[in-house]
Amino acid sequence: DAKTTQPPSMDCAEGRAANLPCNHSTISGNEYVYWYRQIHSQGPQYIIHGLKNNETNEMASLIITEDRKSSTLILPHATLRDTAVYYCTPAGGTSYGKLTFGQGTILTVHP
Amino acid sequence: ETGVTQTPRHLVMGMTNKKSLKCEQHLGHNAMYWYKQSAKKPLELMFVYSLEERVENNSVPSRFSPECPNSSHLFLHLHTLQPEDSALYLCASSQLAYNEQFFGPGTRLTVL
């Protein structure tokens, strides 16, 4: 059973906002939504996480629906260096961090 | 050095060799992880250490043997591997009970 559903690929023009959706309809009440990305041949990089409120940091914004069954990661001004595979994953806030990545979304930023 | 470092970055070994992967974190974290990432599979959690005690072992074959001598260092000892063990092996660390994990660059392992 897939924990998350993400589109396999998306394109974005450089300088525009990239909006990456994720469906996590089976998320439990104490699980956070985490987003990571992985640039080719590198280790995954933490981006942002949230429980139920929208979150923003220097990298991105995270919008979580009120029912918490889906979320959207927003890169406000995408650059070529944002080309990567983006993963969302529900994870318990008090567990030992059992990250389980699905197939993710390949985001390609074009000049 | 900052963050999480892994050595070597690339390793080619025969099925009869014994080798070790090393991970070091400079973040003051107290939990460390080994993951395997194959070309055709999502990220797979292998081992979790918390406060230098192994707390998770996800049915990993005994030819993979982890060691955590202190909270900053993690090793993965390899022996009699199979070609299907070829993958990117990633180390990560986090503060206990948090999921914000910081990953190293990985070791690309090829078993001939």
Side-chain angles (χ1 to χ4, degrees):
Chain A
D1 290 339
K3 295 179 65 174
T4 61
T5 303
Q6 296 179 255
S9 64
M10 295 183 67
D11 291 332
C12 178
E14 189 177 20
R16 304 298 293 267
N19 298 302
L20 293 92
C22 179
N23 182 299
H24 34 78
S25 58
T26 60
I27 192 170
S28 59
N30 64 348
E31 286 186 314
Y32 290 73
V33 179
Y34 280 79
W35 283 82
Y36 285 77
R37 72 181 182 184
Q38 189 170 20
I39 297 170
H40 183 61
S41 297
Q42 297 183 19
Q45 177 189 23
Y46 166 80
I47 302 173
I48 198 168
H49 74 283
L51 185 61
K52 56 182 179 180
N53 297 321
N54 298 338
E55 302 288 344
T56 296
N57 62 19
E58 64 278 5
M59 290 182 68
S61 295
L62 176 60
I63 308 297
I64 304 173
T65 58
E66 192 169 345
D67 62 8
R68 301 205 331 116
K69 293 184 177 181
S70 65
S71 62
T72 300
L73 179 75
I74 301 171
L75 307 178
H77 305 287
T79 70
L80 298 178
R81 288 179 294 180
D82 292 321
T83 293
V85 182
Y86 287 77
Y87 301 99
C88 73
T89 179
T94 56
S95 74
Y96 286 116
K98 296 183 184 181
L99 292 178
T100 51
F101 290 177
Q103 296 302 320
T105 296
I106 301 172
L107 174 68
T108 304
V109 181
H110 298 284
Chain B
E1 292 267 23
T2 59
V4 180
T5 59
Q6 290 186 243
T7 54
R9 293 294 309 277
H10 300 272
L11 178 63
V12 179
M13 58 187 289
M15 289 190 286
T16 58
N17 292 155
K18 289 185 179 181
K19 297 287 184 183
S20 295
L21 309 185
K22 178 183 176 182
C23 175
E24 185 173 0
Q25 60 96 1
H26 309 269
L27 301 168
H29 291 162
N30 46 29
M32 296 187 77
Y33 313 78
W34 279 117
Y35 288 89
K36 175 184 178 182
Q37 189 173 39
S38 306
K40 298 181 179 179
K41 288 186 177 181
L43 200 69
E44 300 174 70
L45 178 64
M46 300 176 72
F47 302 104
V48 181
Y49 276 82
S50 174
L51 298 173
E52 301 153 42
E53 296 291 326
R54 191 190 309 180
V55 296
E56 190 80 26
N57 179 350
N58 275 4
S59 303
V60 179
S62 60
R63 56 185 184 269
F64 295 92
S65 175
E67 178 190 1
C68 188
N70 55 61
S71 60
S72 298
H73 294 86
L74 185 65
F75 295 89
L76 187 63
H77 304 299
L78 316 171
H79 65 96
T80 59
L81 295 192
Q82 305 297 313
E84 59 264 29
D85 296 322
S86 298
L88 181 67
Y89 288 85
L90 292 158
C91 172
S93 71
S94 70
Q95 275 297 91
L96 189 62
Y98 287 87
N99 286 291
E100 184 179 337
Q101 294 182 27
F102 292 82
F103 285 80
T107 295
R108 176 69 62 184
L109 173 68
T110 302
V111 182
L112 302 177

